[in-house]
Amino acid sequence: MHTFFNVEDIGDLQKALAEAQEVKRDRFAFQSLGKNKTLLMIFFNNSLRTRLSTQKAAMNLGMNVIVLDVNAGAWKLETERGVIMDGDKSEHLLEAIPVMASYCDIIAVRSFAGLTDREYDYAETVVQQFVKYSGRPVVAMETATVHPLQAFADLITISEVWGDSRGQGARSKGQEDTPSLTSPSVIGTGRPKVVLTWAPHCRALPQAVPNSFAQWMRAADVDFVITHPEGYELDPRFVGDARVEYDQRKAFEGAHFIYAKNWSCPGVTCPADYGKILSKDMSWTVDSKHMSWTDNGYFMHCLPVRRGLIVTDDVIESDHSLVIPEAANREISAQVVLKRVLESL
């Protein structure tokens, strides 16, 4: 695996989930892979879980880690081509990238959407320059449009919880050949219903997390439903043939997992609205009433979360809240990805 951006990059999901459990049983079993190898983590934006979990995963694999915060401790970088650099940006990404690459074996990049130019964001203008000019494997630690490490961790969490509840998870009873979320033997007989629900927020947020979550849930072959107010339709390349239900209650009915996330207007139906907040309807906030519509469902969120906007205290603090296990599994998803990249070097 040379790059990691989309679910296709991980290959067979059943094998990836099994590998995640192998890593989880012994995080330090593959340290020889990373010996004398260096991971460079580049942050154009703030991070907590991604920074800590990816660095920990690399250390588990025996790697050296360099962390560069572009906005604190480095020259400001120009990312546009053909500009006259007479402002506050002292170095161009086109020179910075090959310099960075000379110090490492793998590059991991985090860069958010600007939410002003849809074409620029959805072309992944920043991270694609790393792919083109670094000559190194590139791992996405969230980009303008995707957050695959989060989605992979979400899938690991769902697989563990659903498997444990049915006695057939990848970790349960030591059974190696039991059905999983990606096994055809489960289709139509025991698939969990997973709902991605929009929720209100005070700021305009990117679509990266919901895009990747939709992409990975479709690949996992769960019973997947997306619910949001009209105007918040996600890009078809990520949604595909997933069912969209504008009635939140109908979407929640019978659900086993509720994944709440805000996103700003993706600009699919109206490009002029890209990045805008079209609604702050608090009736979409996930509370105990919403969860009562589910089939004893679990609550999920990528964190950080705005309490009282996305979810109420009683829901996120309940024993059916998975936000902490999800965050813990960020280490595992990152380690599986880095392990595979190291194996391909």
Side-chain angles (χ1 to χ4, degrees), residues 96-221:
I97 289 173
V99 170
M100 294 175 187
S102 69
Y103 305 140
C104 67
D105 300 282
I106 302 172
I107 296 177
V109 184
R110 182 177 177 94
S111 177
F112 290 175
L115 295 179
T116 57
D117 185 336
R118 189 180 196 280
E119 183 177 352
Y120 181 90
D121 287 344
Y122 272 73
E124 293 290 7
T125 305
V126 174
V127 295
Q128 285 302 327
Q129 292 184 73
F130 281 91
V131 174
K132 186 174 182 179
Y133 298 113
S134 71
R136 296 285 187 265
V138 177
V139 173
M141 297 190 297
E142 189 168 3
T143 71
T145 66
V146 293
H147 197 349
L149 290 174
Q150 179 64 54
F152 186 17
D154 295 332
L155 180 58
I156 293 169
T157 306
I158 291 172
S159 181
E160 289 174 336
V161 172
W162 186 248
D164 286 347
S165 67
R166 293 166 53 81
Q168 61 181 30
R171 292 189 299 161
S172 63
K173 310 295 187 290
Q175 299 172 355
E176 297 297 331
D177 299 319
T178 49
S180 75
L181 294 178
T182 56
S183 171
S185 64
V186 181
I187 296 175
T189 60
R191 293 187 300 168
K193 181 178 180 180
V194 181
V195 177
L196 169 63
T197 181
W198 177 93
H201 203 280
C202 54
R203 297 177 57 196
L205 299 183
Q207 299 97 46
V209 169
N211 282 345
S212 280
F213 188 75
Q215 187 184 52
W216 284 69
M217 290 305 107
R218 285 173 52 225
D221 204 12

Side-chain angles (χ1 to χ4, degrees), residues 267-335:
V268 173
T269 57
C270 183
D273 286 337
Y274 175 64
K276 293 182 179 179
I277 297 175
L278 303 181
S279 173
K280 291 185 178 180
D281 186 351
M282 294 290 288
S283 70
W284 284 76
T285 300
V286 180
D287 58 18
S288 57
K289 180 179 180 181
H290 287 72
M291 296 303 292
S292 72
W293 302 334
T294 71
D295 183 5
N296 201 28
Y298 291 88
F299 176 81
M300 303 182 71
H301 190 278
C302 61
L303 300 182
V305 65
R306 299 267 185 154
R307 292 186 178 214
L309 288 175
I310 301 292
V311 61
T312 56
D313 290 347
D314 57 336
V315 171
I316 197 170
E317 294 177 14
S318 76
D319 58 6
H320 269 221
S321 173
L322 298 178
V323 296
I324 304 304
E326 282 177 85
N329 276 331
R330 288 295 307 278
E331 177 187 347
I332 305 305
S333 65
Q335 189 162 339

Side-chain angles (χ1 to χ4, degrees), residues 32 46 56-57 60 73 79 105 142 250 256 281 323 331 339:
S32 61
N46 295 334
K56 179 64 163 58
N60 292 348
T79 60
D105 300 282
E142 189 168 3
K250 286 184 180 179
H256 303 103
D281 186 351
V323 296
E331 177 187 347
K339 174 178 175 289

